[in-house]
Amino acid sequence: MTQDELKKLAAESALAYIKRDMTVGIGTGSTVNHFIAALVRMKHDIGMTVASSIQTEQQLKQHGIEFTALNNVGTVDIYIDGADEANTHHYLIKGLGGALTREKVIASAAKQFICIIDQSKKVDVLGNLSPVPVEVIPMARSYVAREIVKMGADPVYREGIQTDNGNQILDVHNLKITDPVIMEKMLNNIPGVVENGIFAKRPADVIIMATPEGIRTI
Ligand code: 5RP
């Protein structure tokens, strides 16, 4: 199976968690796009959706699925999103698609967070495959980058990208993430950081991982 077929398998398996009248938070990325395509079958049964990015809003529009702002619903019953890395503690790295801040807000507001991945995203130690994206306000970018260098890591400015919140992204390579909960806090304590892509304070509740042998639920 190709990686995209595995993403589709994971995404379609998440439909089993969606119940009648639920408010469904929707992440961002290619795995989530498969989920949106599958959700069309249930679009008259669910209550409402909340999108984590403008890209996802566009996908929902294309599929005729209604969405609203998080402010209008307060909480969501379930949040479905992909990840760039996931470990067995359900900690994640997210944000290669640039939507990490809105994703983390909706995940935090959600009663249940289901993460959908193909097996290539599973790691023992976070940071082995993916850099950690850090969203910064534009005027703080080089200050934040220097603070991250002091932590022994290598921030790289993601040039030409503006987030949906009008901010910029530093992709942080070679960060030693021995304790994801502490590292998530440390990065967010740097003035000018809006949010970072370590999801440890609000980990996933369930990880649906697609493998060539079928679905593994972690
Ligand atoms: C976007 C994300 C995505 O969930 C992550 O990048 C995985 O993307 P894909 O499903 O395309 O592999 O965090 O900000």
Side-chain angles (χ1 to χ4, degrees):
M1 283 172 103
T2 65
Q3 187 182 21
D4 195 55
E5 285 166 341
L6 291 173
K7 287 182 180 194
K8 190 170 177 204
L9 177 63
E12 293 190 337
S13 305
L15 271 194
Y17 289 82
I18 311 296
K19 307 285 177 240
R20 207 176 174 78
D21 294 329
M22 272 185 164
T23 302
V24 185
I26 318 250
T28 299
S30 54
T31 315
V32 162
N33 288 346
H34 286 302
F35 175 72
I36 294 171
L39 191 64
V40 169
R41 293 175 225 154
M42 296 185 69
K43 73 176 171 185
H44 300 299
D45 297 327
I46 55 173
M48 185 48 73
T49 69
V50 175
S52 63
S53 63
I54 293 169
Q55 184 194 315
T56 292
E57 287 178 3
Q58 285 163 350
Q59 286 285 320
L60 289 167
K61 248 185 226 161
Q62 272 174 27
H63 287 85
I65 301 175
E66 210 184 337
F67 58 89
T68 190
L70 181 65
N71 286 330
N72 294 335
V73 292
T75 64
V76 301
D77 294 304
I78 192 161
Y79 179 60
I80 311 288
D81 200 357
D84 301 303
E85 286 189 10
N87 71 12
T88 47
H89 302 290
H90 295 184
Y91 295 152
L92 313 172
I93 291 180
K94 293 185 43 54
L96 287 194
L100 61 140
T101 300
R102 294 188 188 194
E103 290 173 340
K104 198 180 279 188
V105 172
I106 303 177
S108 302
K111 292 180 193 156
Q112 201 183 13
F113 175 11
I114 311 290
C115 181
I116 47 178
I117 56 167
D118 67 86
Q119 63 176 10
S120 72
K121 309 288 184 68
K122 167 84 170 34
V123 294
D124 292 327
V125 179
L126 288 186
N128 277 1
L129 293 174
S130 168
V132 176
V134 177
E135 180 165 351
V136 296
I137 63 170
M139 60 75 71
R141 190 187 70 237
S142 26
Y143 167 72
V144 173
R146 287 196 301 276
E147 291 300 299
I148 288 172
V149 168
K150 285 185 202 163
M151 293 165 69
D154 302 313
V156 176
Y157 172 35
R158 203 184 292 180
E159 285 192 60
I161 296 295
Q162 194 186 51
T163 69
D164 289 349
N165 313 308
N167 295 316
Q168 296 174 341
I169 290 186
L170 295 168
D171 287 313
V172 180
H173 296 259
N174 303 319
L175 192 63
K176 293 266 169 307
I177 311 178
T178 39
D179 185 332
V181 177
I182 289 175
M183 186 53 79
E184 180 179 6
K185 265 193 216 154
M186 273 177 72
L187 289 169
N188 281 355
N189 274 344
I190 304 171
V193 169
V194 177
E195 195 45 83
N196 73 83
I198 300 174
F199 281 52
K201 184 171 176 231
R202 199 321 169 203
D205 296 306
V206 176
I207 297 174
I208 297 177
M209 180 172 79
T211 76
E213 292 74 45
I215 288 294
R216 250 191 75 199
T217 304
I218 303 170

